[in-house]
Amino acid sequence: MKIFNTIPELQTTLNHWRDKGEKIAFVPTMGGLHQGHLSLIEIAKQKADRVVVSVFVNPTQFAEREDFGTYPRTMEEDLALLEAQGVDCVFTPSAEAIYPDGMTLDVDVGAIGQILCGQTRPHFFNGVVQVVRRLFEIVRPDVAVFGRKDYQQLHIIRRFTSGVEIVSGEIVRETDGLAMSTRNQYLSKGERKIAPQLHKILGQIERRELGVKSAAEQLQRYFKLDYLELLDANTLKKITDNTSKIAILCAVFLGPTRLIDNIIFRRENV
Ligand code: AMP
């Protein structure tokens, strides 16, 4: 497995592969890798001849008061996992390499970036699109794979990037239903026991055992509720007569840790 932290080195290898007619799949990550990330790599392997993974904690998607400084950085373990997974190449750039002209946020995705997670994190999706566009420019992949765990992020990336086929992977969960996340490492033992309630309650909405209002009440027994919304899964707008798929989207705080989760289901179940 090749590991590069500068762009020219990376591009020499990528160009060599492209010259041979090999297709390149790309999986961007912030490290702190778990089975959710590895499942995206498995999809990438099926989609292309070569798999490139980036590990970069992007400063422009974190607000001042957020956890940029404490975000888990586990490069050694990550590289071992990536090697075992059969990844061809890992890109581990510095912030200076990604943003040679400084870290000014120069992307605005507009209203879609201000709803759901954007209410609490108004700059987040602008930062995400900024880094994904920049990484696409550097790597020039044929395909990129993203997780449906970050459903709004996936939707926005599809809308605000071009020239790369975007493929999605389903949410990988712990056996008790908690969606895997690097931030789960922040949970105390007690919090970790409570955390699966999030997915459990969303499941009760899907099965119509709970209405949205009672589900919100249930969630508030365990968490500080950030948002709980049912929207059209294709548009992330209000459900209409034309809605074929529904997205239950939720974010909560458990102590200082913010957890997100979602369930997407076909309308006929409603
Ligand atoms: P992150 O390192 O958190 O930026 O995530 C990198 C990619 O992994 C994103 O496309 C995420 O949506 C995806 N991802 C994170 N957690 C999961 C999960 N539990 N299941 C599937 N994909 C995930």
Side-chain angles (χ1 to χ4, degrees), residues 28-30 34 36-37 40 71 146-147 149-150 170-172 180:
T29 82
M30 298 208 300
H34 50 68
H37 298 109
L40 304 184
Y71 195 84
F146 294 87
K149 179 185 155 254
D150 301 275
E170 64 187 45
I171 303 178
V172 178
M180 289 192 185

Side-chain angles (χ1 to χ4, degrees), residues 92-269:
T92 59
S94 63
E96 291 70 31
I98 296 293
Y99 301 116
D101 302 325
M103 284 188 250
T104 321
L105 201 47
D106 58 2
V107 172
D108 186 355
V109 301
I112 188 77
Q114 301 304 309
I115 62 168
L116 303 167
C117 287
Q119 293 172 81
T120 307
R121 311 184 73 192
H123 306 291
F124 176 69
F125 292 109
N126 295 332
V128 167
V129 170
Q130 180 182 34
V131 77
V132 170
R133 279 185 183 166
R134 180 79 184 114
L135 289 167
F136 281 5
E137 217 173 79
I138 296 167
V139 177
R140 296 202 290 121
D142 299 283
V143 182
V145 192
F146 294 87
R148 290 204 278 272
K149 179 185 155 254
D150 301 275
Y151 193 78
Q152 186 181 10
Q153 168 173 291
L154 173 66
H155 180 88
I156 290 176
I157 287 170
R158 282 192 197 284
R159 212 161 116 185
F160 290 92
T161 63
S162 58
V164 176
E165 183 194 347
I166 307 295
V167 172
S168 70
E170 64 187 45
I171 303 178
V172 178
R173 299 180 181 281
E174 303 286 356
T175 46
D176 59 12
L178 176 64
M180 289 192 185
S181 164
T182 305
R183 289 191 169 98
N184 291 349
Q185 296 179 32
Y186 296 155
L187 300 174
S188 69
K189 261 197 174 158
E191 289 169 341
R192 178 63 190 78
K193 285 205 180 112
I194 294 168
Q197 291 297 330
L198 172 55
H199 179 242
K200 197 169 152 202
I201 294 168
L202 300 191
Q204 289 172 330
I205 303 176
E206 181 193 0
R207 296 189 300 274
R208 302 179 78 189
E209 293 161 16
L210 279 180
V212 180
K213 207 166 151 243
S214 4
E217 283 164 16
Q218 288 290 321
L219 286 165
Q220 276 158 332
R221 288 175 49 188
Y222 302 102
F223 309 104
K224 181 170 168 288
L225 184 59
D226 186 2
Y227 65 79
L228 170 64
E229 293 197 39
L230 264 70
L231 295 174
D232 182 309
N234 293 318
T235 59
L236 291 187
K237 291 185 176 153
K238 272 202 178 127
I239 294 165
T240 68
D241 290 348
N242 292 327
T243 298
S244 59
K245 267 192 322 179
I246 292 176
I248 307 170
L249 301 152
C250 187
V252 296
F253 286 94
L254 182 50
T257 309
R258 191 164 175 281
L259 304 175
I260 63 171
D261 202 347
N262 67 75
I263 295 181
I264 313 296
F265 61 102
R266 296 202 65 77
R267 180 100 190 247
E268 52 258 27
N269 296 345

